[in-house]
Amino acid sequence: MYNLKEWWRLTIGTEPDENWDGKVLCAESDAQLTRMTNITQGFLACYTFTLVTQGWLTMNYNGNIIKIKKDDLYFYSPGLSVTILDSSPDYRSICLLVDEFTTLESPAMRDMVSIAFLPIVQLSTPVLTLSPENAAMVEGRLREMINYQNSTNVYKDKLLRMLYAVFLVDLQNVQESGIVNRRFSPRVEEIFIGFNRLLQQHFVEHHDVGFYANELCVTNDYLSRIVKNVSGRTVIDYINQMLLIEASYLLRSTSLSISQISERLHFAEPASFTHFFSRHKGLSPREFRDAQ
């Protein structure tokens, strides 16, 4: 999957600032730039928050057509299939992109993600419609991040992480003021977030429910039920999606042979990998590579 520095090169077309650590990025966007993100959608290893400040945008989000408009806050998590379809000529937004491992690596950040991320996952579409007051507050926070990002402050990377944490707390406050109601207990949220964190770290080596259940000290059935109830998807759906995204990325961006990719992704043999990829993509690995 692409990291933020690779995303910058592909989408913006220039080299990112050599002093930027590539973990947090906040930037304004328009209709043309937003369409460019289709190049990396589904392959981007980051969480994205997009606040629409003007106009509207339509997209295919994981098989559903959704529309976002002024004062909507849209959330994207790594690995989901998204395609930008159309937008108004005057579309403008502010986007906050955060590396997925930066998001989940520290206990404090993990706790904040658990309270800000899960209520959005529970929505049929990952969009919050904010009041004008809350939209102005979120926009102010994001513009503060842009100002630090464009500054010469030697601590700006650390400051951006801190402001991201503040942003998540602000988002929690918006949700608890009536935008979204919590539906799950803290224990369920803890297990679901824990599963997502483990998945990012171990999906290449471990393709079975049992590994993740054992790491979380729960039964296979209990983990499966929690993931299904919270997200509407199965544990195997999550694992297969991550494997498919990584396989597509390796086929698209490296010269590794199909046998080498199969081995890297811990399939028993190349034939098993080919069958898996063909069943989910509708193309064999070789056909997919040749089509790029």
Side-chain angles (χ1 to χ4, degrees):
M1 296 177 72
Y2 296 110
N3 60 38
L4 273 177
K5 286 193 173 184
E6 291 168 334
W7 175 88
W8 182 282
R9 294 186 185 98
L10 287 167
T11 305
I12 308 300
T14 62
E15 285 296 314
D17 185 344
E18 62 180 11
N19 295 319
W20 174 48
D21 67 0
K23 302 303 181 184
V24 179
L25 173 66
C26 195
E28 295 187 78
S29 184
D30 57 20
Q32 181 179 1
L33 180 57
T34 298
R35 285 178 178 274
M36 288 292 294
T37 64
N38 280 338
I39 298 171
T40 56
Q41 290 286 11
F43 300 98
L44 183 59
C46 77
Y47 292 89
T48 304
F49 297 85
T50 299
L51 176 68
V52 181
T53 57
Q54 187 174 313
W56 55 265
L57 179 83
T58 59
M59 67 183 79
N60 185 321
Y61 176 89
N62 217 29
N64 298 313
I65 306 301
I66 65 174
K67 182 176 182 177
I68 56 176
K69 60 189 184 305
K70 187 178 186 304
D71 293 344
D72 281 348
L73 182 65
Y74 158 69
F75 179 84
Y76 170 83
S77 56
L80 289 177
S81 174
V82 178
T83 303
I84 306 302
L85 300 175
D86 196 11
S87 62
S88 61
D90 65 340
Y91 173 79
R92 298 291 186 277
S93 63
I94 305 176
C95 300
L96 171 61
L97 301 90
V98 185
D99 174 80
E100 63 181 336
F101 292 109
T102 298
T103 295
L104 298 175
E105 66 188 359
S106 75
M109 191 65 73
R110 174 181 173 277
D111 289 344
M112 281 182 281
V113 169
S114 71
I115 57 180
F117 167 65
L118 267 170
I120 301 175
V121 172
Q122 296 164 25
L123 299 175
S124 58
T125 55
V127 179
L128 299 179
T129 297
L130 305 178
S131 68
E133 294 78 15
N134 282 331
M137 180 270 294
V138 170
E139 180 175 352
R141 186 72 65 204
L142 294 175
R143 291 196 182 280
E144 185 179 9
M145 297 181 76
I146 291 174
N147 289 338
Y148 271 112
Q149 187 172 284
N150 295 334
S151 75
T152 57
N153 192 307
V154 294
Y155 300 108
K156 65 180 179 180
D157 289 330
K158 292 181 179 179
L159 288 166
L160 286 172
R161 283 180 173 80
M162 293 172 64
L163 287 172
Y164 174 48
V166 173
F167 171 83
L168 289 174
V169 173
D170 284 341
L171 181 56
Q172 180 199 8
N173 181 64
V174 168
Q175 292 168 168
E176 293 191 350
S177 66
I179 300 295
V180 178
N181 294 319
R182 298 174 73 93
R183 292 180 1 198
F184 300 106
S185 70
R187 174 59 176 161
V188 167
E189 295 182 356
E190 179 184 3
I191 291 173
F192 182 73
I193 289 293
F195 165 68
N196 275 273
R197 181 165 53 91
L198 288 168
L199 182 68
Q200 304 298 330
Q201 298 170 346
H202 300 292
F203 75 90
V204 169
E205 298 88 359
H206 296 284
H207 307 172
D208 60 297
V209 178
F211 169 80
Y212 301 96
N214 184 64
E215 289 293 306
L216 293 166
C217 301
V218 297
T219 66
N220 293 8
D221 287 345
Y222 188 60
L223 176 60
S224 297
R225 188 163 63 251
I226 283 178
V227 172
K228 182 69 173 179
N229 288 344
V230 171
S231 70
R233 300 165 61 198
T234 68
V235 172
I236 296 301
D237 285 341
Y238 273 90
I239 296 169
N240 286 346
Q241 183 180 47
M242 294 302 296
L243 287 169
L244 191 65
I245 290 166
E246 189 68 13
S248 300
Y249 172 75
L250 293 172
L251 287 165
R252 180 179 180 177
S253 304
T254 75
S255 59
L256 292 172
S257 70
I258 291 171
S259 293
Q260 288 172 320
I261 293 174
S262 172
E263 182 178 0
R264 176 175 289 198
L265 297 179
H266 287 252
F267 281 84
E269 56 185 8
S272 299
F273 168 66
T274 297
H275 176 72
F276 166 84
F277 191 90
S278 301
R279 178 161 55 90
H280 289 280
K281 272 290 188 183
L283 295 171
S284 71
R286 191 172 305 280
E287 289 171 334
F288 179 83
R289 172 170 273 172
D290 291 344
Q292 301 307 301

